[in-house]
Amino acid sequence: ESEPGPGTSASPGAVGLSARGNVAATVGDPVEAPVGEGSPILLSLTVDEVRVLQSCSGRAEPTQRPDFGQFVVLEVTAVLQASGTEPSDLPPDARTYAGLGAERFRIFDTEGAVQEITSTDASWACFEDSELLPAFVDVGQTVSGYVVLDSASPHGAVVFSPDDAAGWEWAF
């Protein structure tokens, strides 16, 4: 099953490609891509805000501290819709969800080095479940919440790359 990939047309927030080949996106502007090649399912993802925090409110402890130095907290809204068709009219083999979990996001520092591990016990323990972005969005659904990454760098770029190919990136 294929995951969404960056679209060929620029969204309002696209400012070109990054050095890593990702669509350079702007906070507050949606990016969109079909889920699968030639699919009528379209994922729209908006990073509404990016914050770098030294701690967060925790589920297990009142204050949660990062393992690597700081938390990069993204406030995200995602919509999955069937373009030009009703969800009930989709072919039986159509992909009807998209993955949004923290493992789909990577951090690059200002020198371009990737931080492979960004999801830690500390980042997972930030905020209540109801405040976090669900791991999946289904067709016809709009979801929003926080994605919390544990970052060694206070500045850089966050990349959403659902299929481990080119994706979208936001500076922080």
Side-chain angles (χ1 to χ4, degrees):
E1 297 180 13
S2 63
E3 289 283 344
T8 55
S9 62
S11 70
V15 294
L17 295 180
S18 73
R20 288 168 284 284
N22 300 304
V23 173
T26 303
V27 171
D29 287 334
V31 291
E32 297 180 333
V35 177
E37 193 171 318
S39 173
I41 308 297
L42 188 68
L43 173 66
S44 175
L45 187 81
T46 305
V47 173
D48 299 302
E49 184 178 14
V50 179
R51 294 181 289 154
V52 178
L53 304 175
Q54 300 305 309
S55 65
C56 66
S57 58
R59 286 182 271 184
E61 301 175 20
T63 302
Q64 190 65 48
R65 303 259 183 243
D67 290 341
F68 298 132
Q70 46 275 314
F71 293 119
V72 175
V73 180
L74 303 131
E75 187 176 339
V76 177
T77 301
V79 180
L80 195 63
Q81 55 195 350
S83 177
T85 186
E86 292 297 317
S88 59
D89 294 333
L90 292 172
D93 63 341
R95 181 72 178 269
T96 58
Y97 67 91
L100 302 171
E103 70 279 356
R104 305 227 183 241
F105 293 82
R106 295 283 179 265
I107 291 179
F108 289 83
D109 67 16
T110 56
E111 301 298 316
V114 65
Q115 179 180 322
E116 291 294 336
I117 298 172
T118 59
S119 183
T120 62
D121 288 344
S123 64
W124 177 84
C126 280
F127 305 107
E128 295 296 326
D129 284 337
S130 62
E131 297 175 281
L132 298 174
L133 185 69
F136 297 95
V137 59
D138 295 321
V139 170
Q141 193 177 34
T142 298
V143 297
S144 61
Y146 297 123
V147 173
V148 183
L149 307 173
D150 200 329
S151 178
S153 178
H155 304 284
V158 173
V159 175
F160 177 71
S161 182
D163 58 3
D164 293 325
W168 304 286
E169 75 178 64
W170 296 264
F172 70 92

